[in-house]
Amino acid sequence: APLSPIHEHDITTGWPKEAPKKADLVLLDPPYWQQAKGRYSDDSTDLANVSIEDFNARWGQVVAACAKHASRIAYIISPTQLEDGSVIDHATDLLQPFVKLGWKVERRVIVTYNTQQATGQQVTWARENKRMLKLYRDLIILKV
């Protein structure tokens, strides 16, 4: 199949007109919530800059836009470790809109960052802060 040119589009507003009506697979790589705050833009509506409630609500808009046009959707995301040491498990939280639409998880893959070895700085930080290191992302593959 021919490749389509890349277009800038806010998927929360719906499926792009330029995109094919049907896709075998849509791969979504959203910002890892506030881990990427200010990295993409300073726009207050940027997914990396909104509250967790808005992030999840806007993710629902992304899923709704894509689910009508794809037979498989995959997303990759990392959990967020909060200051108190607790973790927001985005991989499972972002499943909710799919569950409501009747989609099923086909596969969950742990994707490590480059290597599984931590740097000396990361180990020192983890020891000093009594925190576990997170050296992976989750790749969730869903199907209708």
Side-chain angles (χ1 to χ4, degrees):
L3 293 176
S4 297
I6 295 173
H7 296 273
E8 185 175 325
H9 178 76
D10 180 353
I11 193 65
T12 64
T13 65
W15 191 254
K17 291 182 196 122
E18 301 85 7
K21 296 294 175 218
K22 286 290 181 191
D24 294 330
L25 172 70
V26 172
L27 175 61
L28 300 169
D29 185 4
Y32 302 170
W33 184 50
Q34 292 194 346
Q35 294 174 62
K37 188 171 187 166
R39 194 173 304 159
Y40 300 108
S41 77
D42 58 3
D43 185 340
S44 64
T45 63
D46 184 315
L47 286 175
N49 300 335
V50 298
S51 69
I52 190 64
E53 295 80 16
D54 286 347
F55 180 85
N56 290 332
R58 299 211 37 226
W59 175 256
Q61 295 171 319
V62 171
V63 171
C66 295
K68 298 173 189 169
H69 299 276
S71 53
R72 277 192 173 83
I73 298 175
Y75 63 89
I76 189 164
I77 195 154
S78 177
T80 298
Q81 187 165 349
L82 301 175
E83 290 295 319
D84 67 3
S86 64
V87 172
I88 297 176
D89 185 6
H90 299 294
T92 56
D93 291 349
L94 299 185
L95 279 173
Q96 300 317 306
F98 289 102
V99 170
K100 288 179 183 173
L101 294 173
W103 284 61
K104 305 283 184 215
V105 174
E106 182 175 15
R107 182 86 51 199
R108 181 174 181 167
V109 180
I110 302 301
V111 180
T112 58
Y113 287 108
N114 297 331
T115 69
Q116 286 188 322
Q117 293 188 345
T119 66
Q121 267 185 315
Q122 290 171 317
V123 171
T124 300
W125 175 89
R127 282 185 183 145
E128 288 173 357
N129 292 284
K130 296 185 173 149
R131 301 280 194 264
M132 293 177 67
L133 290 174
K134 150 188 82 56
L135 301 172
Y136 69 93
R137 295 163 290 167
D138 291 279
L139 174 65
I140 310 295
I141 305 165
L142 299 113
K143 63 182 179 178
V144 178

